[in-house]
Amino acid sequence: MNAAQTTSEAGAGAAAASRAAAYAAPPARVAVPVQLRVPPISTAAAVSKRPAARPPSRAQPAVHLSPVEAKIRALLLDTAAFVQRQQPDRPPLVLRVAGGWVRDKLLGRDSDDMDIAIDTMKGEPFARHLKEYMETVGLEMGSIATIQVNPDKSKHLETATARVFGLDVDFVHLRTEVYDESSRNPTVNFGTPLEDALRRDITINALFYNLHSGEVEDLTGTGISDLNSGLVRTPLDPLQTFIDDPLRVLRVIRFATRFHYEIVRHVLEAAADEQIKTAFMKKITRERVGVELDKMLAGQDPVRALRLIRDIGFYPLVFTPPPELPADVPIQSERAVLGSHIIDLIHSESMLAKLGLLSLPLTPEDLRNLHLAAALLPYRTLTYKHKNKDLSVVRFVVCNSIKLSNIDGDTAHALVNDAPKIRDHALRNASKSLDRMTLGLLVRDLGGRPLGAKWDLAVLMALAEDLADLAAQEADPFAMRLDSDAATSVIAIYAKLLADIAAHGLQNAYQLKHIVDGKDLASLLSLRPGPQIGRYLQIVMEWQLTHPTGTRAQCVEYMLTRHGHTGNTK
């Protein structure tokens, strides 16, 4: 090895070490001024008249890169240059951050992932070049995961994903999509930045951040103005946009309710078109429906989401009943919206503490479950025949129509269909306080699977159902106030039920173990194994609830005295 080679290699090693150190050093937060490339277009548009429930989010004047994002930007640009050095005959790569990251940055929000759109290379090869380049400068990236095409999960393009400096980064190529009327799966090809922007669901999701120039590229011409005006619109004709992929109807609703934006009127009108409904039922899998709906119910405004679903006639398309349910059974979708509104009202007016609810504060999961249950109120108490069995319509819709989990189905069923039983106890308790045993058995019944410690959410749901029934009698059901005389009387009935349960110390009665177990009962009463043991265990629990300070010996004496002669000889 000659001196020149030694010097060259030493210089390369020093450069690599210097580069690695630069990536490792956290730079200051970088504010990149928004330079807009926006084609001039008319911004006149009619919007839906219903006002947003909360102030909409507005775009900020700059994209603020976090220290990690600034490092990633530098790393990706260096990787593009690295590829150019390796393949000098190919056109230089142009890298853009696409979609939600750009939108959120302009709204001043943090984003925990980045989608990198590459103009002339697929995502997986670029991710491998990135890994190779990082190794040359002494950095490690970890494994690259390739997400295959999966139309059932809205994945129409192979995507490479990796963790880069602790952030999830996806790599895809700019693309154009061509849809066939008979299929929900598009043909995907390389596309221009404009083609990629125009194929997206809404304009505020069609923005690019050019990593090279620092420009925010608004190629649809309305993305930035729609962010500032609080509007949701499709980049292309909404009717064709929805026919191509009818799931976009639900995505429009989800983003409108997430950001408290208005939906442009002609977009809503297109969503309600019968062609779109037919295409929705033909093309969209129930799993995709469930993913979008679940995000709405756990989102910022589930009440408005359900209202919009109802207004465009999508309720029976989303919450599709079992085919065995007779067609003439009335489905009042208005009740779903009203029930969700009541849940929102009770929660926002801090009524829960006054009610005596135990599950405080309500978690996001609690609220999501309550709004899911409210969405299913049109199917409350309904059953359908399947293989000579009466099955819950609520459970069918959750598990089959929107493809949520079996636990979700059981929870929704319990919250909705336990209401008559709870109402009966609450009314009887309001008239004359129920005894400790009756109240304890109610808690044990409600606290079985799947609710457990959350059994009192079923009481809250029963109250919401009664308040919804009350509101439905008003000229404007959504104008009912919780401090009205009628509403106050209903709330007092349920508050008394919870107060009496607490006064008897029965909040955890669902966890109470039998003081005499089944094996001992079988021996004491000479019982053969079978259902009768369960009946006697119920008697034991009734005795325990009636005698909270009673001992096991006293319970055994009671069972022998009252029931010893009824046993079956072994």
Side-chain angles (χ1 to χ4, degrees), residues 4 45 117 233 319 347 508:
R233 80 173 84 230
F319 302 96
H347 184 244
N508 296 319

Side-chain angles (χ1 to χ4, degrees), residues 12-58:
S18 174
R19 206 63 179 145
Y23 293 128
R29 181 174 289 268
V30 179
V32 181
V34 177
Q35 305 174 56
L36 300 180
R37 292 172 55 194
V38 185
I41 88 165
S42 170
T43 58
V47 300
S48 56
K49 292 182 178 180
R50 186 179 297 276
R54 299 170 177 85
S57 304
R58 301 302 187 198

Side-chain angles (χ1 to χ4, degrees), residues 401-543:
S401 300
I402 54 178
K403 290 292 183 180
L404 299 182
S405 69
N406 289 335
I407 291 295
D408 287 329
D410 292 341
T411 300
H413 172 81
L415 290 175
V416 173
N417 289 341
D418 279 346
K421 169 174 40 187
I422 297 169
R423 182 180 303 112
D424 173 70
H425 280 74
L427 290 173
R428 288 193 290 127
N429 188 66
S431 176
K432 181 181 179 181
S433 292
L434 296 175
D435 59 67
R436 190 177 192 278
M437 180 194 74
T438 303
L439 293 174
L441 291 176
L442 174 65
V443 172
R444 289 183 62 80
D445 193 10
L446 299 179
R449 294 186 62 188
L451 295 182
K454 299 289 185 178
W455 61 266
D456 55 338
L457 294 184
V459 179
L460 176 58
M461 194 67 218
L463 168 62
E465 288 191 39
D466 279 3
L467 290 173
D469 289 341
L470 183 65
Q473 302 171 23
E474 302 291 332
D476 181 0
F478 294 92
M480 186 190 78
R481 295 174 55 90
L482 294 186
D483 59 0
S484 68
D485 290 343
T488 300
S489 297
V490 173
I491 293 168
I493 290 172
Y494 286 90
K496 184 177 185 300
L497 178 66
L498 288 172
D500 287 356
I501 288 171
H504 284 294
L506 292 169
Q507 300 95 319
N508 296 319
Y510 66 94
Q511 294 180 317
L512 194 59
K513 303 296 184 184
H514 291 87
I515 200 169
V516 182
D517 62 24
K519 183 178 179 180
D520 288 344
L521 276 177
S523 177
L524 288 168
L525 303 181
S526 301
L527 298 174
R528 294 193 182 97
Q532 68 269 24
I533 292 181
R535 292 194 292 270
Y536 285 107
L537 282 173
Q538 178 72 2
I539 295 171
V540 168
M541 183 54 62
E542 291 172 357
W543 184 91

